[in-house]
Amino acid sequence: MTSDPQPRRLHWAAIVVEAVGAALRLVTSVVVVALVGSGGSGSTALTFGVAGIAISVLAAWLSWSRTTYWLDDVALHLRSGVFTPDERIVPRSRVQAVDTGAGPVQRLFGVVELRVQTPGASDEEEIVLTA
């Protein structure tokens, strides 16, 4: 290991993974707008849908551009956050498990999600690298 590792970015496929996840969460809202809003006009729902997808892609790119990680002799570091940067540090001695998984979009790009678990993390991963 080097004493001064360089921060790395996630694979660019993380942008697509995050944008698809956000767009799928918006589907319910778009359906409600289509059924309730503007007297049954589908153009309003389509406008909201396209705007939602555009915002999802922009937010995913912004999140990706502000996320870096690196591994040094002591710990795994993850720095993320657009407006208020947050740094999570997991000492190597605290790593309990490292799991990988791949959803449909991740398999399409040939990447995996890495979950680093530590004891006492209340059934949640301490660090998740999406691609």
Side-chain angles (χ1 to χ4, degrees), residues 60-77:
W61 175 82
L62 195 56
S63 174
W64 172 83
S65 70
R66 301 293 298 161
T67 301
T68 57
Y69 69 95
W70 65 96
L71 182 65
D72 60 19
D73 294 336
V74 179
L76 172 63
H77 304 258

PDB file of all heavy atoms in Angstrom, residues 60-77:
ATOM      1  N   ALA A  60     -28.022  12.585 -10.087  1.00  0.00           N
ATOM      2  CA  ALA A  60     -27.125  11.434 -10.052  1.00  0.00           C
ATOM      3  C   ALA A  60     -25.721  11.827 -10.494  1.00  0.00           C
ATOM      4  O   ALA A  60     -24.725  11.398  -9.893  1.00  0.00           O
ATOM      5  CB  ALA A  60     -27.673  10.320 -10.941  1.00  0.00           C
ATOM      6  N   TRP A  61     -25.608  12.643 -11.534  1.00  0.00           N
ATOM      7  CA  TRP A  61     -24.287  13.101 -11.985  1.00  0.00           C
ATOM      8  C   TRP A  61     -23.613  13.943 -10.911  1.00  0.00           C
ATOM      9  O   TRP A  61     -22.427  13.791 -10.643  1.00  0.00           O
ATOM     10  CB  TRP A  61     -24.394  13.904 -13.280  1.00  0.00           C
ATOM     11  CG  TRP A  61     -23.062  14.470 -13.668  1.00  0.00           C
ATOM     12  CD1 TRP A  61     -22.058  13.832 -14.324  1.00  0.00           C
ATOM     13  CD2 TRP A  61     -22.563  15.773 -13.361  1.00  0.00           C
ATOM     14  NE1 TRP A  61     -20.969  14.664 -14.464  1.00  0.00           N
ATOM     15  CE2 TRP A  61     -21.261  15.861 -13.872  1.00  0.00           C
ATOM     16  CE3 TRP A  61     -23.092  16.875 -12.699  1.00  0.00           C
ATOM     17  CZ2 TRP A  61     -20.487  17.004 -13.740  1.00  0.00           C
ATOM     18  CZ3 TRP A  61     -22.316  18.008 -12.570  1.00  0.00           C
ATOM     19  CH2 TRP A  61     -21.030  18.059 -13.099  1.00  0.00           C
ATOM     20  N   LEU A  62     -24.373  14.841 -10.296  1.00  0.00           N
ATOM     21  CA  LEU A  62     -23.816  15.700  -9.260  1.00  0.00           C
ATOM     22  C   LEU A  62     -23.330  14.871  -8.069  1.00  0.00           C
ATOM     23  O   LEU A  62     -22.236  15.095  -7.550  1.00  0.00           O
ATOM     24  CB  LEU A  62     -24.866  16.720  -8.821  1.00  0.00           C
ATOM     25  CG  LEU A  62     -24.392  17.915  -8.027  1.00  0.00           C
ATOM     26  CD1 LEU A  62     -23.313  18.683  -8.778  1.00  0.00           C
ATOM     27  CD2 LEU A  62     -25.577  18.833  -7.755  1.00  0.00           C
ATOM     28  N   SER A  63     -24.110  13.897  -7.667  1.00  0.00           N
ATOM     29  CA  SER A  63     -23.713  13.017  -6.570  1.00  0.00           C
ATOM     30  C   SER A  63     -22.463  12.226  -6.938  1.00  0.00           C
ATOM     31  O   SER A  63     -21.528  12.102  -6.140  1.00  0.00           O
ATOM     32  CB  SER A  63     -24.863  12.066  -6.238  1.00  0.00           C
ATOM     33  OG  SER A  63     -24.470  11.126  -5.282  1.00  0.00           O
ATOM     34  N   TRP A  64     -22.416  11.685  -8.150  1.00  0.00           N
ATOM     35  CA  TRP A  64     -21.255  10.918  -8.615  1.00  0.00           C
ATOM     36  C   TRP A  64     -20.001  11.797  -8.634  1.00  0.00           C
ATOM     37  O   TRP A  64     -18.925  11.358  -8.226  1.00  0.00           O
ATOM     38  CB  TRP A  64     -21.524  10.369 -10.011  1.00  0.00           C
ATOM     39  CG  TRP A  64     -20.335   9.736 -10.647  1.00  0.00           C
ATOM     40  CD1 TRP A  64     -19.878   8.464 -10.465  1.00  0.00           C
ATOM     41  CD2 TRP A  64     -19.430  10.347 -11.571  1.00  0.00           C
ATOM     42  NE1 TRP A  64     -18.753   8.247 -11.215  1.00  0.00           N
ATOM     43  CE2 TRP A  64     -18.460   9.390 -11.903  1.00  0.00           C
ATOM     44  CE3 TRP A  64     -19.358  11.610 -12.141  1.00  0.00           C
ATOM     45  CZ2 TRP A  64     -17.425   9.669 -12.788  1.00  0.00           C
ATOM     46  CZ3 TRP A  64     -18.332  11.881 -13.019  1.00  0.00           C
ATOM     47  CH2 TRP A  64     -17.377  10.915 -13.332  1.00  0.00           C
ATOM     48  N   SER A  65     -20.134  13.029  -9.107  1.00  0.00           N
ATOM     49  CA  SER A  65     -18.969  13.895  -9.229  1.00  0.00           C
ATOM     50  C   SER A  65     -18.405  14.303  -7.868  1.00  0.00           C
ATOM     51  O   SER A  65     -17.248  14.682  -7.767  1.00  0.00           O
ATOM     52  CB  SER A  65     -19.301  15.135 -10.054  1.00  0.00           C
ATOM     53  OG  SER A  65     -20.170  15.986  -9.331  1.00  0.00           O
ATOM     54  N   ARG A  66     -19.215  14.241  -6.824  1.00  0.00           N
ATOM     55  CA  ARG A  66     -18.775  14.627  -5.481  1.00  0.00           C
ATOM     56  C   ARG A  66     -18.473  13.422  -4.584  1.00  0.00           C
ATOM     57  O   ARG A  66     -18.289  13.582  -3.385  1.00  0.00           O
ATOM     58  CB  ARG A  66     -19.837  15.500  -4.822  1.00  0.00           C
ATOM     59  CG  ARG A  66     -20.161  16.774  -5.592  1.00  0.00           C
ATOM     60  CD  ARG A  66     -19.026  17.735  -5.631  1.00  0.00           C
ATOM     61  NE  ARG A  66     -18.723  18.138  -4.271  1.00  0.00           N
ATOM     62  CZ  ARG A  66     -17.592  18.679  -3.873  1.00  0.00           C
ATOM     63  NH1 ARG A  66     -16.647  18.886  -4.736  1.00  0.00           N
ATOM     64  NH2 ARG A  66     -17.405  19.007  -2.621  1.00  0.00           N
ATOM     65  N   THR A  67     -18.456  12.216  -5.137  1.00  0.00           N
ATOM     66  CA  THR A  67     -18.185  11.013  -4.352  1.00  0.00           C
ATOM     67  C   THR A  67     -16.833  10.444  -4.723  1.00  0.00           C
ATOM     68  O   THR A  67     -16.578  10.157  -5.894  1.00  0.00           O
ATOM     69  CB  THR A  67     -19.278   9.947  -4.595  1.00  0.00           C
ATOM     70  OG1 THR A  67     -20.547  10.501  -4.227  1.00  0.00           O
ATOM     71  CG2 THR A  67     -19.010   8.689  -3.785  1.00  0.00           C
ATOM     72  N   THR A  68     -15.968  10.277  -3.728  1.00  0.00           N
ATOM     73  CA  THR A  68     -14.669   9.645  -3.926  1.00  0.00           C
ATOM     74  C   THR A  68     -14.427   8.656  -2.792  1.00  0.00           C
ATOM     75  O   THR A  68     -15.011   8.761  -1.709  1.00  0.00           O
ATOM     76  CB  THR A  68     -13.517  10.665  -3.948  1.00  0.00           C
ATOM     77  OG1 THR A  68     -13.526  11.408  -2.739  1.00  0.00           O
ATOM     78  CG2 THR A  68     -13.625  11.601  -5.136  1.00  0.00           C
ATOM     79  N   TYR A  69     -13.563   7.697  -3.068  1.00  0.00           N
ATOM     80  CA  TYR A  69     -13.187   6.728  -2.044  1.00  0.00           C
ATOM     81  C   TYR A  69     -11.717   6.398  -2.212  1.00  0.00           C
ATOM     82  O   TYR A  69     -11.133   6.582  -3.267  1.00  0.00           O
ATOM     83  CB  TYR A  69     -14.044   5.463  -2.134  1.00  0.00           C
ATOM     84  CG  TYR A  69     -13.782   4.638  -3.364  1.00  0.00           C
ATOM     85  CD1 TYR A  69     -12.895   3.566  -3.323  1.00  0.00           C
ATOM     86  CD2 TYR A  69     -14.394   4.927  -4.577  1.00  0.00           C
ATOM     87  CE1 TYR A  69     -12.632   2.812  -4.452  1.00  0.00           C
ATOM     88  CE2 TYR A  69     -14.144   4.185  -5.702  1.00  0.00           C
ATOM     89  CZ  TYR A  69     -13.267   3.129  -5.641  1.00  0.00           C
ATOM     90  OH  TYR A  69     -13.009   2.398  -6.763  1.00  0.00           O
ATOM     91  N   TRP A  70     -11.100   5.933  -1.144  1.00  0.00           N
ATOM     92  CA  TRP A  70      -9.726   5.466  -1.211  1.00  0.00           C
ATOM     93  C   TRP A  70      -9.462   4.530  -0.041  1.00  0.00           C
ATOM     94  O   TRP A  70     -10.130   4.570   0.978  1.00  0.00           O
ATOM     95  CB  TRP A  70      -8.732   6.626  -1.248  1.00  0.00           C
ATOM     96  CG  TRP A  70      -8.672   7.477  -0.036  1.00  0.00           C
ATOM     97  CD1 TRP A  70      -7.796   7.370   1.002  1.00  0.00           C
ATOM     98  CD2 TRP A  70      -9.514   8.585   0.278  1.00  0.00           C
ATOM     99  NE1 TRP A  70      -8.039   8.336   1.939  1.00  0.00           N
ATOM    100  CE2 TRP A  70      -9.088   9.096   1.515  1.00  0.00           C
ATOM    101  CE3 TRP A  70     -10.589   9.196  -0.368  1.00  0.00           C
ATOM    102  CZ2 TRP A  70      -9.708  10.190   2.126  1.00  0.00           C
ATOM    103  CZ3 TRP A  70     -11.191  10.272   0.234  1.00  0.00           C
ATOM    104  CH2 TRP A  70     -10.753  10.754   1.455  1.00  0.00           C
ATOM    105  N   LEU A  71      -8.496   3.669  -0.251  1.00  0.00           N
ATOM    106  CA  LEU A  71      -8.091   2.689   0.745  1.00  0.00           C
ATOM    107  C   LEU A  71      -6.631   2.951   1.077  1.00  0.00           C
ATOM    108  O   LEU A  71      -5.787   3.021   0.177  1.00  0.00           O
ATOM    109  CB  LEU A  71      -8.268   1.275   0.178  1.00  0.00           C
ATOM    110  CG  LEU A  71      -7.949   0.119   1.100  1.00  0.00           C
ATOM    111  CD1 LEU A  71      -8.907   0.090   2.272  1.00  0.00           C
ATOM    112  CD2 LEU A  71      -8.034  -1.193   0.325  1.00  0.00           C
ATOM    113  N   ASP A  72      -6.338   3.133   2.352  1.00  0.00           N
ATOM    114  CA  ASP A  72      -4.953   3.305   2.752  1.00  0.00           C
ATOM    115  C   ASP A  72      -4.564   2.167   3.697  1.00  0.00           C
ATOM    116  O   ASP A  72      -5.315   1.204   3.840  1.00  0.00           O
ATOM    117  CB  ASP A  72      -4.713   4.690   3.365  1.00  0.00           C
ATOM    118  CG  ASP A  72      -5.536   4.968   4.608  1.00  0.00           C
ATOM    119  OD1 ASP A  72      -6.028   4.007   5.235  1.00  0.00           O
ATOM    120  OD2 ASP A  72      -5.689   6.145   4.957  1.00  0.00           O
ATOM    121  N   ASP A  73      -3.420   2.288   4.334  1.00  0.00           N
ATOM    122  CA  ASP A  73      -2.933   1.227   5.208  1.00  0.00           C
ATOM    123  C   ASP A  73      -3.816   1.009   6.431  1.00  0.00           C
ATOM    124  O   ASP A  73      -3.801  -0.058   7.026  1.00  0.00           O
ATOM    125  CB  ASP A  73      -1.514   1.553   5.687  1.00  0.00           C
ATOM    126  CG  ASP A  73      -0.516   1.534   4.557  1.00  0.00           C
ATOM    127  OD1 ASP A  73      -0.781   0.848   3.548  1.00  0.00           O
ATOM    128  OD2 ASP A  73       0.525   2.204   4.671  1.00  0.00           O
ATOM    129  N   VAL A  74      -4.596   2.006   6.791  1.00  0.00           N
ATOM    130  CA  VAL A  74      -5.358   1.960   8.029  1.00  0.00           C
ATOM    131  C   VAL A  74      -6.853   1.750   7.817  1.00  0.00           C
ATOM    132  O   VAL A  74      -7.501   1.031   8.569  1.00  0.00           O
ATOM    133  CB  VAL A  74      -5.129   3.264   8.836  1.00  0.00           C
ATOM    134  CG1 VAL A  74      -5.925   3.259  10.116  1.00  0.00           C
ATOM    135  CG2 VAL A  74      -3.651   3.445   9.111  1.00  0.00           C
ATOM    136  N   ALA A  75      -7.438   2.373   6.782  1.00  0.00           N
ATOM    137  CA  ALA A  75      -8.897   2.391   6.677  1.00  0.00           C
ATOM    138  C   ALA A  75      -9.373   2.580   5.240  1.00  0.00           C
ATOM    139  O   ALA A  75      -8.604   2.944   4.351  1.00  0.00           O
ATOM    140  CB  ALA A  75      -9.447   3.520   7.544  1.00  0.00           C
ATOM    141  N   LEU A  76     -10.683   2.349   5.074  1.00  0.00           N
ATOM    142  CA  LEU A  76     -11.391   2.670   3.834  1.00  0.00           C
ATOM    143  C   LEU A  76     -12.102   3.994   4.077  1.00  0.00           C
ATOM    144  O   LEU A  76     -12.807   4.156   5.077  1.00  0.00           O
ATOM    145  CB  LEU A  76     -12.403   1.574   3.498  1.00  0.00           C
ATOM    146  CG  LEU A  76     -13.361   1.847   2.346  1.00  0.00           C
ATOM    147  CD1 LEU A  76     -12.599   1.999   1.032  1.00  0.00           C
ATOM    148  CD2 LEU A  76     -14.391   0.746   2.235  1.00  0.00           C
ATOM    149  N   HIS A  77     -11.910   4.936   3.177  1.00  0.00           N
ATOM    150  CA  HIS A  77     -12.495   6.271   3.302  1.00  0.00           C
ATOM    151  C   HIS A  77     -13.515   6.476   2.180  1.00  0.00           C
ATOM    152  O   HIS A  77     -13.253   6.108   1.032  1.00  0.00           O
ATOM    153  CB  HIS A  77     -11.424   7.351   3.169  1.00  0.00           C
ATOM    154  CG  HIS A  77     -10.302   7.199   4.144  1.00  0.00           C
ATOM    155  ND1 HIS A  77     -10.210   7.961   5.274  1.00  0.00           N
ATOM    156  CD2 HIS A  77      -9.226   6.380   4.153  1.00  0.00           C
ATOM    157  CE1 HIS A  77      -9.130   7.627   5.946  1.00  0.00           C
ATOM    158  NE2 HIS A  77      -8.509   6.665   5.279  1.00  0.00           N
TER     159      HIS A  77
END
